[in-house]
Amino acid sequence: MINLKYGVGFQFLIKIHRSFNHSLKNECGRRSLSSFYTTDPIDKAEPTFEKILIANRGEIACRVMRTAKLMGIKTVAVHSTVDSNALHVKMADEAVCIGPPATRESYLNMEKILNVIRQTGSQAVHPGYGFLSENAEFVTILEKEGISFIGPSAHAISGMGDKIESKRVAKEAGVHVIPGFDGVVKDEEHCLEISRNIGYPVMIKASAGGGGKGMRIAWNDTEAREGFRLSKQEAASSFGDDRMLVEKFVDNPRHIEIQILGDKLGNVIYLNERECSIQRRNQKVIEEAPSTFIDPATRIAMGQQAVSLAKKIGYSSAGTVEFLVDSKKNFYFLEMNTRLQVEHPITEMITGIDLVHQMIRVAKGHRLNLKQSDVPLKGWAIECRVYAEDPFKNFGLPSIGRLDQYIEPTFIPNVRCDSGVEEGSEISIYYDPMICKLACHGPTRDEALKTSIEALDSYVIRGVTHNIPLLRDILDESRFVRGDINTKYLPEVYPNGFQGKQLQLLERQHLISIAACMWATNELRLQAFANERNDNCMLKKNVEKWVLSVNVAGNKSPCEVELGDDGYYKATIEGKTYRIRNTLNLASPVIKVTVDDENHVVQLISKNSNGDFRIRFKGTPFAVSILTKKTEGYVSHMLEKPKVDVSKAVLSPMPGVVRSVNVKVGDSVSEGQEVLVIEAMKMQNKLTATATGKIKSVNCRPGDTVEEGITLVEME
């Protein structure tokens, strides 16, 4: 791995990025990937598979391929038509197209995948997560055909994949469970009856669900009725199984899970816990290992119950037992995921155990080469899920587009990026919008946080909207830093939604100073260019002092900037002067700058000749307008562009597919009434009337694919 710092080294990294980025991934060269996954060398003399098929896509397919390559195993990728140029297709030894983008016609189509297995002579299948990873029927078919499934048995998947059955088995294994209805909910009325008997709040969720899909919290009858309907639709779309269950919702809990690993000989161990409480819409955003809340005694108790459950069902392979933990450290079984978890990298970082390697070994029939006493807990790891989402919209609504520029921060020590994209990749409406899992390790939590913040600041993503602003703000937020979190963290810390980094006075003045010095650097460059083309010896000396007006988010501040003979800019704002060295390279995707004695990593996303800059500072992109005092006087005489009134229109908040339209022209609706449902990345999103009135026009039909920002429904 090329390990380069900022300055000359970093510039070299940028230059080689386009030509080497793909080869670095293909050759597993990102800072010796094996050191990220395992502290023990892989025994290549141990019998293993010659060829495996990865029945998945994106980052998890790439992740599995990396370990397979280290083990000397050939890999086969399957892909839909829109994934023809995807990174996992390029990394595989063989790749076969299995159909159109719709998952039911490609990644969920068992017959097509089975045909590829036969065609390529694959000996085993790794399912990744999602899609067919917890489909017992698929595993049964593989077993009949003599193909190894790199995961648990069909019996274990059936027992744990069905939340109703898993709760019953957990009780028998002596695991603490949440009070609820042990059966299938028949319809909306049955859901209301059960919810009233249990007592609100309740959790309504898909029996075969996972990943936050098909889940709703209901605090009253209205929410229970709506939650049942939407969750049932999501469950049918995502899992092909719309059975629902209802259980008591534990208010203000932590979501903490135990990683387990078992073999086919009855040996099971646990690999410590992961804290997964930072969530939006029941989907995890940031995870860490270990948890700040769990003491050694609780860790052992949770681990032992997880192992007891795994042994009860004869579990082999990697799996995760999820718990809800209350403020008194009482823990309750939530579900068991019979697959590799999205957040497995942080467990690998604190234990040094390659989970994919162990899964492949177990599938081949080998005994675990680890005992419980062999499992260490080394340092701290934090994972940020980087999504193509707009965090300013309900903490993250999907975004689509092409990655015009993409540079992962793997040049920073102790940073791991599990991604399935590269520069030029497309983020489409058909699949999960994840870009990367950014995992950072340190000897302490503080060090892991510091590295994570630097990595997020240094992560270059252009072409799609992403959630780095939210991730970066969380890591710096006082409650999170203290470890004072629960599953309601986001709405509690951001009650009005995420609004971007809220700058304190000093932070704001640092941003103004940096922006003004960028403007001055650009101005000096323009002057030098003019001088080089003009031999007129009478040309005036370059201007090196400016009086500016800097507008950050609607707030104007006067700023005087002067370039001194010592090579430093002096930026004066409201009587306070800051020093910044004149080494700013505006062409660099990442700029490291020191204001007085404080270091910042910023990104100049865009600039134009009007003095408009877009700067990523502390994770958030800020629009900064810079004018000279003279120019500002002219601007004050210009008319403002009138704003379009959208108060009586329902706009599409994201790209997606219209699933239902519940109004027609002439209908009277009240503010907040549901008018249609859009599905994006397999999530159902309800759109409501923005005002009370009569429907003037409906501009879409069920099945239509719509873009973000278009008018779907208008009112008189």
Side-chain angles (χ1 to χ4, degrees):
M1 175 61 197
I2 299 171
N3 184 7
L4 301 174
K5 300 294 184 181
Y6 292 97
V8 176
F10 184 72
Q11 296 308 313
F12 177 65
L13 176 67
I14 303 307
K15 290 179 182 178
I16 69 168
H17 167 71
R18 286 183 175 84
S19 61
F20 280 88
N21 189 43
H22 173 58
S23 63
L24 283 172
K25 291 180 179 180
N26 256 2
E27 298 302 320
C28 302
R30 289 196 266 189
R31 196 180 302 284
S32 179
L33 284 177
S34 61
S35 67
F36 273 138
Y37 300 159
T38 179
T39 54
D40 299 319
I42 290 174
D43 182 4
K44 292 190 176 182
E46 185 177 71
T48 189
F49 303 107
E50 294 180 6
K51 182 188 291 186
I52 65 173
L53 180 143
I54 294 91
N56 216 299
R57 63 178 300 280
E59 65 85 11
I60 190 59
C62 295
R63 162 67 187 94
V64 174
M65 288 177 191
R66 291 186 186 108
T67 286
K69 287 178 183 294
L70 291 171
M71 297 177 70
I73 301 172
K74 292 183 178 180
T75 57
V76 178
V78 292
H79 65 90
S80 67
T81 52
V82 296
D83 275 344
S84 296
N85 293 316
L87 186 59
H88 79 281
V89 174
K90 297 176 183 179
M91 286 183 65
D93 295 293
E94 300 175 57
V96 180
C97 182
I98 52 174
T103 55
R104 290 184 179 279
E105 299 179 62
S106 53
Y107 297 105
L108 284 175
N109 192 306
M110 286 187 281
E111 189 54 42
K112 289 182 178 179
I113 292 174
L114 288 167
N115 286 337
V116 176
I117 294 169
R118 301 178 189 117
Q119 172 188 330
T120 59
S122 299
Q123 300 168 319
V125 175
H126 197 300
Y129 55 75
F131 296 134
L132 296 173
S133 63
E134 296 178 286
N135 189 306
E137 180 186 355
F138 181 57
V139 178
T140 300
I141 295 172
L142 291 176
E143 290 173 351
K144 289 180 179 178
E145 298 211 5
I147 305 299
S148 297
F149 181 71
I150 304 175
S153 66
H155 168 73
I157 292 175
S158 297
M160 290 294 101
D162 186 313
K163 290 182 173 58
I164 297 171
E165 176 65 11
S166 67
K167 190 173 180 180
R168 183 190 65 78
V169 175
K171 281 183 179 179
E172 292 180 358
V175 180
H176 305 156
V177 298
I178 302 171
F181 176 72
D182 296 329
V184 178
V185 184
K186 300 174 185 176
D187 50 34
E188 287 184 20
E189 295 305 320
H190 191 205
C191 178
L192 293 182
E193 178 187 344
I194 295 168
S195 300
R196 291 167 184 160
N197 290 337
I198 295 174
Y200 291 108
V202 297
M203 173 69 81
I204 301 166
K205 60 185 181 181
S207 176
K213 296 179 177 67
M215 299 174 67
R216 294 291 190 283
I217 300 167
W219 294 80
N220 52 50
D221 284 0
T222 301
E223 292 182 3
R225 189 182 298 277
E226 179 184 281
F228 179 84
R229 176 172 55 84
L230 293 176
S231 296
K232 194 175 182 69
Q233 291 171 359
E234 283 180 9
S237 173
S238 299
F239 316 115
D241 183 344
D242 64 357
R243 291 176 301 147
M244 306 301 297
L245 60 85
V246 179
E247 63 186 19
K248 182 70 176 177
F249 176 65
V250 180
D251 201 11
N252 294 320
R254 286 176 179 255
H255 185 143
I256 299 175
E257 60 190 28
I258 299 291
Q259 175 72 55
I260 61 104
L261 187 63
D263 62 25
K264 296 180 179 180
L265 303 173
N267 302 300
V268 184
I269 60 174
Y270 65 91
L271 282 67
N272 305 313
E273 81 278 4
R274 295 185 290 255
E275 171 76 69
C276 306
S277 297
I278 308 296
Q279 304 179 4
R280 50 96 176 93
R281 299 189 298 278
N282 297 312
Q283 288 184 307
K284 301 159 191 172
V285 178
I286 293 176
E287 301 99 348
E288 61 182 305
S291 168
T292 60
F293 188 64
I294 297 301
D295 55 58
T298 307
R299 177 177 298 119
I300 292 171
M302 294 176 73
Q304 288 176 342
Q305 288 200 17
V307 168
S308 175
L309 176 60
K311 288 185 174 181
K312 178 72 176 177
I313 59 169
Y315 194 89
S316 60
S317 195
T320 299
V321 181
E322 300 192 349
F323 294 95
L324 291 180
V325 185
D326 67 19
S327 59
K328 296 181 180 179
K329 293 188 172 69
N330 297 310
F331 55 91
Y332 305 95
F333 173 73
L334 182 62
E335 63 182 0
M336 183 176 187
N337 290 314
T338 55
R339 54 171 167 79
L340 190 64
Q341 285 285 82
V342 175
E343 58 273 19
H344 76 273
I346 54 176
T347 294
E348 293 181 329
M349 294 180 103
I350 66 165
T351 63
I353 297 170
D354 182 336
L355 290 173
V356 174
H357 174 223
Q358 294 297 330
M359 292 178 76
I360 294 173
R361 289 188 68 257
V362 168
K364 187 63 177 174
H366 296 299
R367 179 186 295 272
L368 285 182
N369 55 7
L370 298 161
K371 302 186 298 293
Q372 190 63 58
S373 58
D374 296 328
V375 179
L377 202 168
K378 300 181 295 184
W380 215 281
I382 297 172
E383 177 181 282
C384 295
R385 298 193 186 190
V386 180
Y387 283 105
E389 292 182 337
D390 186 346
F392 299 91
K393 295 180 178 178
N394 196 25
F395 298 113
L397 291 184
S399 169
I400 61 172
R402 181 187 294 271
L403 294 174
D404 298 327
Q405 189 175 19
Y406 184 75
I407 305 172
E408 295 175 347
T410 49
F411 52 87
I412 300 172
N414 299 317
V415 172
R416 167 178 166 178
C417 288
D418 280 27
S419 65
V421 297
E422 59 186 345
E423 198 163 288
S425 292
E426 290 278 354
I427 307 295
S428 74
I429 66 171
Y430 299 105
Y431 311 116
D432 188 275
M434 181 180 285
I435 296 174
C436 173
K437 298 180 313 197
L438 175 66
C440 301
H441 184 266
T444 65
R445 187 172 188 261
D446 286 346
E447 286 297 315
L449 278 171
K450 182 180 178 181
T451 300
S452 297
I453 288 172
E454 183 184 359
L456 288 172
D457 284 343
S458 304
Y459 205 148
V460 179
I461 303 174
R462 306 277 197 274
V464 298
T465 304
H466 54 77
N467 68 332
I468 284 180
L470 174 61
L471 298 172
R472 171 64 167 79
D473 203 61
I474 292 171
L475 296 186
D476 214 16
E477 192 274 324
S478 59
R479 269 189 58 180
F480 182 83
V481 172
R482 294 195 309 269
D484 178 18
I485 60 176
N486 57 49
T487 56
K488 285 187 174 182
Y489 172 87
L490 287 179
E492 287 177 353
V493 173
Y494 307 101
N496 299 316
F498 179 63
Q499 306 293 323
K501 173 66 178 178
Q502 302 303 299
L503 299 175
Q504 302 300 314
L505 177 61
L506 182 62
E507 293 172 331
R508 184 173 180 276
Q509 291 189 346
H510 277 202
L511 173 58
I512 292 172
S513 300
I514 293 169
C517 292
M518 285 181 173
W519 185 93
T521 298
N522 189 57
E523 188 71 12
L524 287 172
R525 186 177 65 175
L526 294 175
Q527 291 177 14
F529 182 70
N531 289 350
E532 289 171 2
R533 293 182 59 191
N534 194 326
D535 295 328
N536 186 353
C537 62
M538 300 299 292
L539 193 68
K540 294 181 180 179
K541 183 180 182 296
N542 288 349
V543 176
E544 295 182 345
K545 184 175 182 179
W546 302 268
V547 179
L548 307 173
S549 174
V550 183
N551 187 326
V552 177
N555 296 314
K556 294 182 181 179
S557 296
C559 179
E560 293 185 9
V561 180
E562 181 178 4
L563 179 59
D565 294 335
D566 59 356
Y568 281 84
Y569 286 112
K570 292 180 181 179
T572 302
I573 308 161
E574 299 173 359
K576 173 67 175 175
T577 299
Y578 301 96
R579 283 165 48 87
I580 297 177
R581 189 169 180 80
N582 180 25
T583 55
L584 299 175
N585 182 353
L586 304 188
S588 175
V590 177
I591 301 171
K592 188 173 183 180
V593 57
T594 302
V595 182
D596 288 344
D597 296 324
E598 186 170 344
N599 296 324
H600 297 283
V601 179
V602 302
Q603 296 183 31
L604 177 57
I605 300 172
S606 64
K607 61 180 176 63
N608 61 31
S609 58
N610 297 331
D612 292 332
F613 287 65
R614 190 167 178 81
I615 300 171
R616 188 172 302 285
F617 178 75
K618 293 189 177 294
T620 294
F622 287 93
V624 183
S625 177
I626 304 174
L627 300 172
T628 63
K629 279 294 184 181
K630 184 177 180 180
T631 305
E632 185 182 32
Y634 295 140
V635 170
S636 64
H637 297 290
M638 298 179 68
L639 297 176
E640 289 188 11
K641 183 179 179 180
K643 295 181 179 179
V644 178
D645 181 16
V646 293
S647 61
K648 291 193 174 183
V650 177
L651 307 180
S652 175
M654 76 204 87
V657 177
V658 178
R659 284 304 176 206
S660 65
V661 178
N662 305 319
V663 294
K664 60 183 183 298
V665 175
D667 284 356
S668 294
V669 296
S670 57
E671 182 178 357
Q673 180 178 330
E674 180 183 313
V675 294
L676 54 86
V677 174
I678 286 183
E679 181 178 306
M681 278 80 170
K682 298 185 285 187
M683 294 293 288
Q684 304 279 327
N685 300 275
K686 179 183 71 171
L687 303 188
T688 60
T690 54
T692 299
K694 184 176 289 187
I695 300 297
K696 178 182 177 181
S697 66
V698 178
N699 305 322
C700 61
R701 296 177 298 180
D704 285 355
T705 299
V706 297
E707 298 297 323
E708 179 182 356
I710 71 166
T711 302
L712 303 176
V713 176
E714 292 180 278
M715 290 176 285
E716 295 178 355

